[in-house]
Amino acid sequence: NAGVTQTPKFRVLKTGQSMTLLCAQDMNHEYMYWYRQDPGMGLRLIHYSVGEGTTAKGEVPDGYNVSRLKKQNFLLGLESAAPSQTSVYFCASSPPGGGNQPQHFGDGTRLSIL
Amino acid sequence: SQQGEEDPQALSIQEGENATMNCSYKTSINNLQWYRQNSGRGLVHLILIRSNEREKHSGRLRVTLDTSKKSSSLLITASRAADTASYFCATPYTGNQFYFGTGTSLTVIP
């Protein structure tokens, strides 16, 4: 049972390039989340989804887009990467109930924008 | 910001000692969660305490919650080198979102 799997694990991009980060969960969870983690700032929510076909903005959504076409997958896209988006990105999932349920995290994607 | 804040930012103890870290938050909550993050890994859920609970135990972990002071503490008893990690508190916001604190970095010296 893999839990939450993120691909890729590492990536280096040039400013202006685009890419998609993939998150897959095998726990049949309804809710999925994308966070970024920067030194000294904890985790900040980018976007989240409460079910297949639905997405919503979090605390820091600018510069990112997401899609949840299948229940088990949550994609995070960077349309035109900027150095400020250098970060570690974490995906998480949880059963319905949102804030009343524990979140299950992947091991992150380390992204550098040059 | 409704973000929780952990205190201290860093803590270094000897193996076998107890470690205490604190979390303060700003708004009313219905539960508070603690997570652990080992270096280079994702967060792992440790314990959830509801607003009507004052104390909760899980193995060597003891969590307290004081809603009047908007604070929580995590106590790890008889610490081990494997407990070396960062610890975060998380509070729910608008029902579906979480705010995570900036974490306490714990080092347990063998």
Side-chain angles (χ1 to χ4, degrees), chain A residues 10 14 16 24 27 34 46 50 68 71 77 80 83-84 104 109:
Chain A
F10 303 94
K14 294 182 179 179
M27 295 171 284
W34 275 108
I46 304 171
V50 299
R68 183 99 182 267
K71 184 177 183 179
S80 179
S84 61
H104 300 256
T109 294

Side-chain angles (χ1 to χ4, degrees), chain A residues 2-94:
Chain A
V4 178
T5 303
Q6 294 184 233
T7 51
K9 297 188 185 306
F10 303 94
R11 186 74 184 267
V12 178
L13 289 179
K14 294 182 179 179
T15 298
Q17 288 185 318
S18 64
M19 78 161 296
T20 301
L21 281 65
L22 171 64
C23 176
Q25 53 96 3
D26 61 5
M27 295 171 284
N28 202 34
H29 285 167
E30 291 291 335
Y31 291 20
M32 296 187 75
Y33 305 80
W34 275 108
Y35 295 92
R36 59 178 291 173
Q37 185 177 36
D38 302 293
M41 300 190 73
L43 274 75
R44 292 183 291 169
L45 182 64
I46 304 171
H47 286 281
Y48 65 99
S49 168
V50 299
E52 183 178 318
T54 72
T55 63
K57 294 180 180 180
E59 183 184 359
V60 289
D62 293 342
Y64 305 95
N65 57 75
V66 289
S67 64
R68 183 99 182 267
L69 298 180
K70 294 182 179 181
K71 184 177 183 179
Q72 63 268 35
N73 296 336
F74 196 27
L75 307 179
L76 177 70
L78 284 72
E79 294 178 342
S80 179
S84 61
Q85 294 176 305
T86 293
S87 188
V88 182
Y89 292 86
F90 288 98
C91 176
S93 70
S94 74

